[in-house]
Amino acid sequence: MESVLKYLDWTSVGLALLVGLLSLLLLELFRWNSFRSQSPPGPKSLPFVGNLPQFSKDQMGIIRSLPKYGEMCSIFLGRKPTIVLNNMQLAKEAFVQNGTVFSGRPLLPLQAWLTKGYGIILANYGHSWRQQRRFALHTLRDFGLGKKTVEERVAEEAHYLIKEMLKQEVSNIICSIIFGDRFEYNDKRFAKLLEILNESIRLGGTTMAQEELKEDTTFHVENMMKSVFDLFIAGTETTATTLRWGLVYMMNHPDVQERCHEEIIRVLGFDRSPCMEDRAQLPYTHATVYEIQRYASITPLGLIHQTTEPALLRGYHLPKGSTIMVNLKAIMTDKQHWKYPDTFNPENFLDEKGQFCRNDAFLPFSLGPRVCLGEYLAKMELFIFFTSLLQRLKFSWPAGTPHPNMDGIVGTVRSPFPFNMICHSRETTH
């Protein structure tokens, strides 16, 4: 009798589990179909996992395919839809004309626990973000951003970069701006920067100390530490990654590399370091730096945004908390805006007279209130580093080495696969 009851108990448990799982599946299918019916079209997705399996196999292929679903489409990076804006007009309508509505940031539970919503990059749109961003911009200006002294520090670091054969230590630039000194590449003090920063906070009479006296201030140790960390991440990885793509493109297009070098030597010679004022006399080199950023598109979908209130966009009702991304890759390869959208060609930024010309569809730093606050510094670094490298060095692929997959490694930042290169001094060949 006991064995029969035991059998019946296990049967009941199994049936209950099965019914529960089926109920969850039916609820998920209902919820998933409801989302899909109310969202813009997009690639086929699956319940629970959405489009994650496709992204794991070919992320750049999926991103390149999104414009075929229209100017506005949906992807499922999990259980909820993310709205993707595929052209410049729609991106401006959302992020510029309605910037306060589309400038939020989704904060995942793990991020909330790690960052507490502090900092600049991932902080939600609001008082704390505005105060930290404003202070960061003012502080960078106080330390010389936009002045000749910063250009000199960038040129100095370019000299060391050439000497050290690109050891990916671009973070020294933002170190020298924030802390007033650069660090040798093997300097152990670099690991103690945050400890030094912590000590400086306790010094009286600083702008940090003044801000802490205000009632509505968001200035305290944790928030400032996160903001400085954001500046390091934004000012290091993106610039270094863009330079690596630049080297790949120069090795793939030796004619472009030679034309840049000849222009640089004609204007600067071998001895004078470049500065931002040289851009007018180096139109082809200037155009090449911009083309590297356009073609590399190191943040193909930008950083994720979130609506801060309900919104209406092109007939679609977006509830508060909807996640939004802009397809920067599509915008910067849109044939309506570019002469050579799908190939690497500096002529995209040159007019009929061979002079540099800007393009409104050039958006590597995104747009709207959340535009990258380090845009000017990044442009300065890239121009001076790239010009210095091509002034003195020649880059080429090792003989017989297969070229890396040009889709690269796609994460938050799209970077090239590791590669080997041959580097020759230019001065010994002249």
Side-chain angles (χ1 to χ4, degrees):
M1 186 68 177
E2 291 181 2
S3 60
V4 173
L5 288 174
K6 189 174 181 180
Y7 175 76
L8 288 173
D9 286 343
W10 278 111
T11 302
S12 300
V13 170
L15 285 172
L17 287 173
L18 181 60
V19 170
L21 289 173
L22 287 173
S23 299
L24 285 175
L25 179 59
L26 289 172
L27 285 172
E28 177 65 17
L29 287 171
F30 177 79
R31 187 199 62 83
W32 177 69
N33 281 323
S34 177
F35 271 134
R36 286 197 62 85
S37 64
Q38 299 173 35
S39 303
K44 291 182 179 179
S45 60
L46 298 171
F48 296 106
V49 295
N51 297 111
L52 289 177
Q54 297 104 301
F55 267 85
S56 65
K57 291 180 180 178
D58 185 10
Q59 189 162 339
M60 285 306 300
I62 291 290
I63 292 171
R64 280 190 288 262
S65 74
L66 294 180
K68 75 180 184 181
Y69 297 101
E71 62 179 5
M72 186 174 173
C73 68
S74 300
I75 55 175
F76 283 75
L77 302 176
R79 301 176 67 237
K80 284 183 63 178
T82 295
I83 308 301
V84 180
L85 313 181
N86 288 317
N87 65 36
M88 186 172 65
Q89 293 76 17
L90 193 55
K92 285 186 174 180
E93 181 179 334
F95 292 165
V96 179
Q97 298 170 22
N98 298 284
T100 58
V101 178
F102 286 87
S103 291
R105 285 274 195 254
L107 196 61
L108 300 175
L110 180 59
Q111 290 176 332
W113 179 72
L114 290 174
T115 69
K116 300 179 182 179
Y118 296 150
I120 301 172
I121 296 177
L122 296 179
N124 203 10
Y125 187 78
H127 174 64
S128 176
W129 171 81
R130 280 191 292 269
Q131 201 170 47
Q132 293 297 315
R133 181 183 173 88
R134 190 185 308 118
F135 181 77
L137 287 170
H138 285 215
T139 303
L140 288 172
R141 291 193 191 105
D142 289 343
F143 278 92
L145 186 62
K147 300 176 183 177
K148 199 70 176 177
T149 52
V150 175
E151 290 189 34
E152 292 170 356
R153 290 176 182 178
V154 175
E156 176 193 18
E157 195 61 37
H159 169 76
Y160 286 101
L161 182 64
I162 294 170
K163 184 179 178 180
E164 294 293 326
M165 298 297 292
L166 295 173
K167 289 186 178 179
Q168 304 177 31
E169 300 288 352
V170 182
S171 52
N172 256 328
I173 290 299
I174 204 159
C175 285
S176 68
I177 291 171
I178 294 178
F179 299 101
D181 195 11
R182 73 174 301 280
F183 297 84
E184 294 300 329
Y185 290 97
N186 59 354
D187 197 329
K188 295 180 180 179
R189 292 179 299 163
F190 189 75
K192 296 184 178 181
L193 283 178
L194 293 183
E195 181 181 335
I196 296 170
L197 178 63
N198 222 351
E199 178 70 16
S200 69
I201 296 171
R202 298 191 287 106
L203 300 176
T206 63
T207 306
M208 278 297 180
Q210 295 167 20
E211 288 288 345
E212 285 178 348
L213 299 176
K214 299 179 181 178
E215 291 183 2
D216 65 342
T217 186
T218 62
F219 289 92
H220 46 77
V221 174
E222 286 184 283
N223 210 351
M224 198 189 77
M225 295 287 279
K226 184 63 177 67
S227 295
V228 171
F229 178 77
D230 284 352
L231 288 173
F232 270 95
I233 293 296
T236 301
E237 182 60 27
T238 54
T239 304
T241 299
T242 304
L243 283 172
R244 288 198 292 271
W245 277 116
L247 293 176
V248 170
Y249 297 146
M250 290 304 96
M251 292 187 289
N252 282 351
H253 302 271
D255 55 324
V256 174
Q257 183 178 177
E258 289 304 309
R259 186 170 170 182
C260 286
H261 172 73
E262 291 169 4
E263 182 182 68
I264 294 165
I265 297 305
R266 185 170 66 251
V267 174
L268 303 179
F270 280 102
D271 299 324
R272 184 168 76 81
S273 297
C275 65
M276 293 298 277
E277 292 179 357
D278 294 321
R279 290 181 298 176
Q281 286 73 48
L282 300 170
Y284 190 81
T285 305
H286 191 190
T288 301
V289 174
Y290 268 57
E291 179 67 356
I292 290 168
Q293 295 174 77
R294 181 197 76 87
Y295 198 65
S297 189
I298 65 169
T299 53
L301 293 178
L303 293 181
I304 196 164
H305 288 231
Q306 179 175 272
T307 53
T308 58
E309 57 185 77
L312 179 66
L313 190 62
R314 300 294 168 91
Y316 287 96
H317 291 272
L318 306 177
K320 179 181 177 179
S322 297
T323 51
I324 314 290
M325 303 186 86
V326 58
N327 195 338
L328 298 177
K329 179 66 175 177
I331 293 172
M332 292 196 288
T333 55
D334 189 334
K335 62 182 179 182
Q336 294 184 12
H337 301 288
W338 304 97
K339 292 180 285 187
Y340 307 98
D342 299 317
T343 58
F344 180 85
N345 193 330
E347 299 287 337
N348 278 310
F349 293 96
L350 295 173
D351 61 19
E352 62 277 1
K353 296 181 181 179
Q355 295 301 306
F356 178 83
C357 61
R358 300 184 184 277
N359 190 313
D360 289 341
F362 179 71
L363 299 175
F365 303 99
S366 193
L367 72 171
R370 305 297 300 230
V371 66
C372 176
L373 63 84
E375 178 176 352
Y376 180 83
L377 178 61
K379 287 180 177 179
M380 182 197 302
E381 288 179 345
L382 289 171
F383 178 77
I384 293 179
F385 272 117
F386 181 79
T387 305
S388 299
L389 288 170
L390 266 62
Q391 179 184 31
R392 295 175 177 271
L393 303 174
K394 180 177 182 178
F395 302 95
S396 58
W397 293 111
T401 300
H403 295 189
N405 183 328
M406 295 303 291
D407 277 351
I409 304 168
V410 185
T412 304
V413 173
R414 174 178 171 249
S415 58
F417 282 98
F419 60 89
N420 295 319
M421 65 183 180
I422 296 175
C423 179
H424 289 293
S425 171
R426 288 278 191 176
E427 297 182 60
T428 60
T429 63
H430 286 258

